[in-house]
């Protein structure tokens, strides 16, 4: 009887594994442009992604997020503000694949973050909810960020 359950479990795992596949990087090593996801896909509220080899480390107000392979859309942070200034600091490096880092408010991408370098995004008189998202296609990357209010 146990063998039937083990076989059933293996079949289930294999079939589920087929649902979660990485998206190939089809536009070359030096082009990090996302090919699969539209802005409308990115601004949806839910996250859908597959990744492996990830680590997240937070110390004080700084977070470091490293991933060996990432495909999909993931929400990293949600910030709510009421007539405040929000400062996002980034240091990103895309080693391979395609990567996009965005700040979303409502149904709009309000800022694309520079890939492979340091950048700061300041939002003055911020009102509402701001969402930091990463979008990837077989992306191997490292992202350090902090958010100040």
């Amino acid at each position: 009887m146990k063998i039937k359950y083990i076989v059933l479990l293996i079949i289930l795992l294999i079939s589920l594994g087929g649902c979660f596949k990485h998206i190939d990087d089809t536009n070359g090593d030096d082009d990090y442009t996302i090919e699969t996801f539209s802005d409308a896909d990115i601004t949806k509220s839910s996250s859908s992604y597959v990744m492996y080899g990830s680590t997240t480390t937070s110390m004080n107000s700084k977070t470091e997020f490293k991933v060996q392979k990432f495909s999909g859309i993931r929400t990293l942070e949600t910030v709510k503000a009421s007539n405040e200034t929000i400062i996002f600091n980034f240091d990103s490096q895309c080693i391979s694949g395609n990567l996009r880092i965005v700040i979303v408010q409502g149904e709009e991408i309000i800022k694309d973050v520079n890939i492979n370098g340091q950048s700061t995004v300041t939002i003055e008189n911020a009102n509402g909810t701001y969402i930091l998202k990463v979008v990837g296609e077989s992306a191997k990357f490292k992202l350090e960020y902090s958010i100040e209010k």
Side-chain angles (χ1 to χ4, degrees), residues 16-94:
L16 285 176
C19 297
F20 303 108
K21 293 184 179 181
H22 283 281
I23 301 165
D24 291 333
D25 175 7
T26 58
N27 54 357
D29 294 339
D30 296 329
D31 186 350
Y32 303 112
T33 307
I34 296 295
E35 297 290 321
T36 306
F37 301 105
S38 68
D39 285 0
D41 294 330
I42 295 168
T43 58
K44 288 180 185 175
S45 60
S46 63
S47 292
S48 178
Y49 59 90
V50 59
M51 69 178 170
Y52 72 82
S54 71
T55 59
T56 304
T57 310
S58 294
M59 181 181 278
N60 299 323
S61 65
K62 187 177 264 187
T63 301
E64 182 179 75
F65 183 51
K66 294 180 186 178
V67 181
Q68 289 298 312
K69 195 168 188 179
F70 174 85
S71 292
I73 303 167
R74 179 176 176 183
T75 297
L76 294 179
E77 299 284 344
T78 301
V79 180
K80 294 184 180 184
S82 178
N83 292 321
E84 299 173 77
T85 298
I86 304 172
I87 302 169
F88 295 86
N89 295 298
F90 301 99
D91 187 0
S92 65
Q93 179 185 15
C94 185

Side-chain angles (χ1 to χ4, degrees), residues 61-64 76-77 79 86-92 101 103 113-114 117-123 132 143-149:
S61 65
K62 187 177 264 187
T63 301
E64 182 179 75
L76 294 179
E77 299 284 344
V79 180
I86 304 172
I87 302 169
F88 295 86
N89 295 298
F90 301 99
D91 187 0
S92 65
I101 305 166
I103 300 171
V113 176
N114 292 334
Q118 296 179 343
S119 60
T120 298
V121 176
T122 302
I123 304 171
L132 175 61
L143 172 64
E144 293 179 16
Y145 65 91
S146 65
I147 303 169
E148 304 168 29
K149 281 179 42 173

